[in-house]
Amino acid sequence: MSDQIKFIVDNLNKEPFRKNYNLITFDSLEPMQLLQILNDVLAEIDPKQVVDIREEMPEHTAKRMLSLLGILKYKPPGNATDMSTFRQGLVIGSKPVIYPVLHWLLQRTNELKKRAYLARFLIKLEVPSEFLQDETVADTNKQYEELMEAFKTLHKECEQLKTSGFSTAEIRRDISAMEDEKDQLIKRVERLKKRVETVQNHQRMLKIARQLRVEKEREEFLAQQKQEQKNQLFHAVQRLQRVQNQLKSMRHAAADAKPESLMKRLEEEIKFNSYMVTEKFPKELESKKKELHFLQKVVSEPAMGHSDLLELESNINEINTQINQLIEKKMMRNEPIEGKLSLYRQQASIISRKKEGKAEELQEAKEKLASLEREVSVKTNQTREFDGTEVLKGDEFKRYVSKLRSKSTVFKKKHQIIAEFKAEFGLLQRTEELLKQRHENIQHQLRTIEEKKGISGYSYTQEELERVSALKSEVDEMKGRTLDDMSEMVKKLNSLVSEKKSALAPVIKELRQLRQKCQEVRGLREECLQEESRYHYTNCMIKNLEVQLRRATDEMKAYVSSDQQEKRKAIREQYTKNIAEQENLGKKLREKQKAVRESHGPNMKQAKMWRDFEQLMECKKQCFLKQQSQTSIGQVIQEGGEDRLIL
């Protein structure tokens, strides 16, 4: 253990950590500080792990570190039962857990950096099989896998180049040699230009050569485009076959089927799906939520000591004694009704368990059937991609095997002939080596004889003169053949251009046919989408009808029921009650209307008389006020039985 701690401290004091620890200070670190050191080491391996432990939840920290250690393929000591101890020790920063992890990480930091870098690109995302039924998702997943394979090859090439041992001096020498070669090529081109300029119609010939090069490039482009069109056609044919198979299966399922059987099958599927949605899945979800809540509660609680465990054991024993007492009381009562209810509960639980089991078996059978169908389609597609034919069966497979046997005998004969040719080639190669060696010996003897005679280099000079004379004669012949060659080359170019045009004509015609096929495939795809939308619309209509049927059934049950309280809940009773109330209200309103109509004339007359009375009183008031304002000062006015003097 001391050697392990010493190794950790030495590596932490080096670059890039530079912690300046000794054995005492490192051993006296707090659990949170120890976790921060472990996180710093992990951040050196993977830069995404740069986090302050104090600002992160403990469960998030443990989850992040455990996922990275799993990617780095760290195996904790012990068996599977010690894994929970390892997780708990990682959460609380236990030294017996942290020290081995630090020792393992610091031993192979560079290797783990490379592994963490590759894990970002090579850890495959698992897509559920039901999502892969969609063509877009399947194509995207296939492209993702191809990119992953391309990354693997590029990384291997990069590693090979890193370990190949190329030095900068060698690269510079290669660059200088390539530059010299470039200068030589430029000079050679200039010499050829000067030679060509002396020839008549050289501009026209250069133009024709340029056109030839353009046509060749165009030919390559068209060939590539043709290959792409073929690939697109192949994929379109595959999709068309898949759609046709689906359509065939749907027609086969719908053949010889009556509406009653279809409705019955749909009702069974709806019952099964409703059972899964309303009963099975909510129970599973509730159990998972309880388990998750329990696990979160366990994770959030602090580490338990021996005293806490003793307290929990005492609580468990007390609760067990209480349960036993309650069971004894219940047994002493011995109520028959409760016994019957327990029997019914037991039968109901057994039936529910059987129902759940059958539902799970049905779900597993459906998944297995879907996986087998996918596997069959994959195998058929693989065989079709391999040789472009369907899977052979029966007599066709026997004929294919006999054909393979005949081809294998031919292959063995050809292989034997190739082995004989290889043996003869080795013999000829050995003979060539012997003749070369003999020629070298003769040349060496000839040079020694020339040196003895005082005419060293005579044979070499004579060979050079003969070679130069031969070259001169060849150049003279080439000058004579230049014009003929030029004219022949022009004829060949013209014929080649016409041949390429005639060769490209059927390709263009084939491309037109392929475009027509693509349009047909597009039409079939639109038709499939329309059928699918019609299918979903029919399902929605069936669900609406089921809801209406359920409402009508509930209404009939409530109406037929003998319970008056239940009858009052029926919609018919409620509507009848509302109609009676509205009729009574209408009758009262009609009576009120009749009374108002009868008393309308006298009331209007009374109101007119009251308005006339108000006008009369207002007129009297105005006259009285006017009379008061015109009364002279000092006049005595009698008002209310009193005399008043106005000054």
Side-chain angles (χ1 to χ4, degrees):
M1 189 70 178
S2 60
D3 296 335
Q4 190 181 51
I5 298 173
K6 185 177 180 182
F7 176 78
I8 294 170
V9 171
D10 292 338
N11 282 275
L12 289 176
N13 292 334
K14 296 178 183 177
E15 292 289 339
F17 304 107
R18 292 183 295 178
K19 295 293 184 180
N20 294 324
Y21 288 138
N22 54 31
L23 295 176
I24 298 172
T25 56
F26 180 74
D27 192 57
S28 61
L29 289 175
E30 296 293 331
M32 188 62 69
Q33 295 174 345
L34 199 60
L35 271 177
Q36 186 63 50
I37 291 172
L38 176 59
N39 191 77
D40 293 340
V41 176
L42 292 174
E44 179 64 24
I45 294 170
D46 186 6
K48 291 183 179 179
Q49 306 296 323
V50 179
V51 177
D52 191 355
I53 299 296
R54 295 171 295 180
E55 298 176 358
E56 191 178 25
M57 297 296 291
E59 57 269 17
H60 294 167
T61 304
K63 184 178 179 181
R64 179 171 54 80
M65 289 184 177
L66 284 171
S67 62
L68 182 58
L69 290 173
I71 291 170
L72 300 178
K73 297 182 180 179
Y74 174 73
K75 294 181 180 179
N79 51 16
T81 57
D82 297 334
M83 195 65 191
S84 59
T85 307
F86 175 75
R87 291 195 187 97
Q88 188 176 2
L90 190 64
V91 171
I92 64 176
S94 176
K95 292 180 181 179
V97 174
I98 302 295
Y99 285 172
V101 178
L102 284 173
H103 185 264
W104 186 80
L105 293 174
L106 293 172
Q107 274 183 336
R108 46 183 68 82
T109 305
N110 295 325
E111 178 186 351
L112 296 177
K113 281 183 181 179
K114 182 179 177 181
R115 188 175 296 173
Y117 169 74
L118 293 176
R120 293 167 52 193
F121 305 101
L122 298 182
I123 292 179
K124 187 177 180 182
L125 297 174
E126 295 296 334
V127 182
S129 58
E130 56 269 17
F131 293 158
L132 291 175
Q133 299 297 323
D134 190 2
E135 293 182 358
T136 307
V137 177
D139 294 338
T140 306
N141 188 44
K142 186 177 180 182
Q143 187 179 4
Y144 166 68
E145 291 176 353
E146 291 175 354
L147 289 173
M148 187 179 290
E149 294 297 328
F151 174 77
K152 288 180 182 178
T153 55
L154 290 174
H155 181 71
K156 287 180 182 178
E157 292 177 0
C158 181
E159 292 296 325
Q160 289 176 359
L161 289 173
K162 285 181 181 179
T163 58
S164 59
F166 288 123
S167 61
T168 56
E170 292 179 355
I171 294 171
R172 287 174 182 172
R173 283 198 297 270
D174 293 338
I175 292 170
S176 61
M178 291 170 70
E179 288 178 352
D180 295 338
E181 188 176 355
K182 180 182 176 182
D183 295 335
Q184 291 177 4
L185 289 172
I186 291 171
K187 291 178 182 178
R188 187 175 177 184
V189 169
E190 290 177 354
R191 286 198 301 269
L192 290 173
K193 281 183 179 180
K194 289 179 181 179
R195 288 177 61 185
V196 170
E197 287 175 357
T198 57
V199 180
Q200 295 179 356
N201 298 327
H202 66 280
Q203 292 292 339
R204 184 169 175 272
M205 294 178 183
L206 289 173
K207 185 178 179 181
I208 292 169
R210 196 177 297 112
Q211 289 178 357
L212 176 62
R213 188 177 66 253
V214 171
E215 290 296 330
K216 284 185 177 180
E217 292 176 355
R218 189 165 176 269
E219 180 186 3
E220 292 177 357
F221 174 73
L222 289 173
Q224 186 178 1
Q225 192 174 5
K226 180 181 177 182
Q227 187 64 32
E228 291 177 357
Q229 293 287 339
K230 284 184 178 180
N231 293 332
Q232 292 178 2
L233 177 63
F234 178 71
H235 292 302
V237 170
Q238 282 187 339
R239 291 177 184 173
L240 178 61
Q241 288 178 354
R242 285 199 295 269
V243 172
Q244 286 177 351
N245 291 329
Q246 291 177 2
L247 183 61
K248 191 184 294 183
S249 62
M250 291 174 67
R251 286 177 178 173
H252 182 70
D256 299 330
K258 297 180 180 179
E260 292 82 4
S261 61
L262 289 175
M263 288 296 293
K264 187 176 180 181
R265 193 186 309 159
L266 289 173
E267 287 176 358
E268 289 177 356
E269 290 182 359
I270 289 167
K271 287 179 181 178
F272 173 72
N273 292 329
S274 61
Y275 166 72
M276 295 292 288
V277 172
T278 58
E279 295 184 16
K280 190 173 184 299
F281 288 159
K283 289 180 181 178
E284 292 181 355
L285 182 62
E286 189 66 27
S287 64
K288 294 293 182 184
K289 284 182 179 178
K290 288 180 180 178
E291 186 178 357
L292 178 63
H293 179 70
F294 177 73
L295 292 174
Q296 288 178 350
K297 188 177 180 182
V298 170
V299 171
S300 61
E301 288 181 356
M304 299 176 66
H306 186 66
S307 60
D308 297 329
L309 292 174
L310 292 175
E311 185 178 357
L312 286 174
E313 286 180 356
S314 63
N315 291 331
I316 290 168
N317 292 327
E318 290 177 0
I319 292 169
N320 288 328
T321 54
Q322 292 177 4
I323 291 169
N324 293 327
Q325 291 174 2
L326 291 172
I327 291 170
E328 289 176 357
K329 288 180 180 179
K330 185 177 180 182
M331 291 175 67
M332 289 174 68
R333 289 178 187 173
N334 197 9
E335 295 180 357
I337 298 173
E338 187 67 24
K340 291 181 180 179
L341 290 176
S342 64
L343 181 62
Y344 291 148
R345 288 196 192 99
Q346 186 177 4
Q347 291 178 356
S349 64
I350 291 169
I351 291 169
S352 63
R353 283 198 296 271
K354 286 183 179 179
K355 191 175 180 181
E356 290 178 358
K358 294 298 180 183
E360 290 177 357
E361 289 178 1
L362 180 59
Q363 189 70 20
E364 290 176 358
K366 285 185 176 180
E367 292 176 357
K368 188 175 181 181
L369 179 61
S371 64
L372 290 173
E373 288 177 352
R374 287 195 298 272
E375 188 175 357
V376 169
S377 63
V378 168
K379 295 295 184 184
T380 53
N381 291 330
Q382 287 178 357
T383 55
R384 195 179 296 113
E385 289 176 0
F386 182 72
D387 55 357
T389 58
E390 297 291 337
V391 179
L392 300 177
K393 297 178 181 178
D395 297 333
E396 294 180 356
F397 183 73
K398 291 179 181 179
R399 287 196 294 271
Y400 180 69
V401 170
S402 63
K403 189 176 179 181
L404 280 178
R405 288 174 180 171
S406 62
K407 286 185 177 180
S408 64
T409 55
V410 174
F411 171 74
K412 289 178 181 178
K413 291 180 181 179
K414 299 295 183 184
H415 187 70
Q416 186 177 1
I417 293 170
I418 290 170
E420 292 175 357
F421 284 153
K422 284 182 178 179
E424 188 175 357
F425 173 73
L427 184 61
L428 293 173
Q429 192 174 9
R430 179 59 180 166
T431 306
E432 184 184 3
E433 291 177 357
L434 293 173
L435 291 174
K436 284 182 179 178
Q437 187 177 3
R438 186 176 178 185
H439 177 69
E440 289 177 358
N441 294 330
I442 292 170
Q443 290 292 329
H444 182 67
Q445 291 176 4
L446 183 60
R447 283 196 295 270
T448 53
I449 292 169
E450 287 176 353
E451 288 176 359
K452 287 180 181 179
K453 299 293 184 180
I455 53 172
S456 60
Y458 173 76
S459 60
Y460 177 73
T461 306
Q462 187 176 2
E463 289 177 358
E464 286 294 323
L465 288 173
E466 290 176 357
R467 190 171 62 81
V468 169
S469 62
L471 287 172
K472 185 175 180 300
S473 61
E474 288 178 359
V475 169
D476 293 336
E477 289 178 0
M478 286 177 66
K479 286 180 180 179
R481 291 198 302 268
T482 302
L483 294 175
D484 297 333
D485 293 339
M486 289 291 183
S487 61
E488 289 179 0
M489 186 172 70
V490 170
K491 291 179 181 178
K492 288 180 180 179
L493 289 173
N494 291 326
S495 63
L496 188 60
V497 170
S498 61
E499 287 177 0
K500 295 299 179 184
K501 287 182 179 179
S502 61
L504 289 173
V507 175
I508 296 169
K509 186 177 180 181
E510 187 177 356
L511 285 174
R512 291 174 183 170
Q513 295 176 357
L514 292 176
R515 288 195 185 98
Q516 292 178 358
K517 288 184 180 179
C518 288
Q519 290 177 359
E520 292 177 3
V521 171
R522 218 174 270 119
L524 290 172
R525 188 179 296 169
E526 292 177 357
E527 186 179 354
C528 290
L529 290 174
Q530 291 176 0
E531 293 295 331
E532 187 177 357
S533 63
R534 192 176 298 130
Y535 170 73
H536 290 303
Y537 174 73
T538 307
N539 282 336
C540 293
M541 291 298 294
I542 289 170
K543 288 181 180 177
N544 291 330
L545 291 173
E546 286 177 354
V547 172
Q548 294 177 4
L549 182 62
R550 195 182 302 115
R551 288 179 180 174
T553 306
D554 294 339
E555 179 66 18
M556 287 297 296
K557 286 181 181 178
Y559 184 71
V560 176
S561 177
S562 59
D563 189 4
Q564 296 297 327
Q565 190 70 22
E566 191 69 24
K567 274 191 174 182
R568 290 193 190 97
K569 294 181 182 178
I571 299 173
R572 182 174 179 178
E573 294 293 333
Q574 293 177 4
Y575 281 152
T576 306
K577 185 180 178 182
N578 291 333
I579 289 168
E581 290 176 355
Q582 293 297 324
E583 286 179 353
N584 294 328
L585 182 62
K587 187 176 180 181
K588 291 179 181 179
L589 290 173
R590 282 194 296 273
E591 291 176 355
K592 189 175 181 181
Q593 183 183 8
K594 184 178 179 181
V596 169
R597 191 177 293 157
E598 290 176 354
S599 62
H600 179 68
N603 289 337
M604 292 297 293
K605 187 176 180 181
Q606 188 72 23
K608 187 175 182 301
M609 292 171 66
W610 180 257
R611 285 195 298 271
D612 294 340
F613 177 72
E614 284 182 348
Q615 289 179 1
L616 181 62
M617 294 303 294
E618 184 67 25
C619 183
K620 287 183 177 182
K621 180 182 177 182
Q622 294 295 331
C623 292
F624 178 74
L625 293 174
K626 187 177 180 181
Q627 185 180 2
Q628 279 187 344
S629 62
Q630 292 178 358
T631 304
S632 59
I633 300 172
Q635 186 177 359
V636 178
I637 299 174
Q638 291 183 357
E639 183 179 2
E642 295 179 356
D643 295 335
R644 284 193 304 163
L645 177 64
I646 300 173
L647 299 177

